[in-house]
Amino acid sequence: MMKITKQYVKELILEELTKSDVKKLVDDAIEKNEKRVARELPKEIEKELQKMLKSKDIKADIGEIAKKVIKKLYKDLSFHHPYIIDRIKV
């Protein structure tokens, strides 16, 4: 039969307190970091997009995509909804 000493009980309690304290500290650190990232991420994305949009290649790509979208929209409107185009006043 195992004998439980007062010292053993103290060590167990101290160990559990230490585990919960460490867990709380880690959880707090994670939460703080998540808040910081959530605040800074949109700013960083905006900076990167501004850098990219200054590039002539990106501007050309965006222009080509916009042209394709407009062409498809025009085709769809003219074939499936011709009355919309007839309503446009020139």
Side-chain angles (χ1 to χ4, degrees):
M1 186 171 232
M2 184 176 172
K3 189 174 182 182
I4 299 176
T5 63
K6 190 175 184 179
Q7 182 62 30
Y8 178 72
V9 172
K10 283 182 182 180
E11 288 175 8
L12 281 177
I13 292 172
L14 182 62
E15 183 179 330
E16 285 303 314
L17 285 174
T18 306
K19 284 181 184 177
S20 65
D21 291 343
V22 169
K23 184 180 183 308
K24 185 178 183 310
L25 287 173
V26 169
D27 288 344
D28 289 346
I30 290 171
E31 185 177 327
K32 183 178 177 182
N33 192 27
E34 286 175 346
K35 287 179 182 177
R36 183 182 59 80
V37 168
R39 250 189 346 262
E40 294 177 6
L41 187 62
K43 294 174 189 173
E44 291 300 318
I45 290 173
E46 186 176 348
K47 286 179 188 176
E48 285 300 315
L49 285 174
Q50 286 176 351
K51 287 180 193 175
M52 291 173 68
L53 290 175
K54 290 180 182 175
S55 165
K56 290 186 179 193
D57 293 335
I58 298 295
K59 286 182 180 179
D61 290 343
I62 291 173
E64 290 302 314
I65 292 169
K67 286 179 191 177
K68 288 179 183 177
V69 169
I70 291 170
K71 285 178 185 178
K72 288 183 180 183
L73 177 62
Y74 176 75
K75 285 180 184 177
D76 184 53
L77 286 174
S78 65
F79 289 123
H80 300 294
H81 307 286
Y83 59 88
I84 292 176
I85 293 177
D86 292 338
R87 290 177 41 197
I88 298 174
K89 294 182 181 179
V90 183

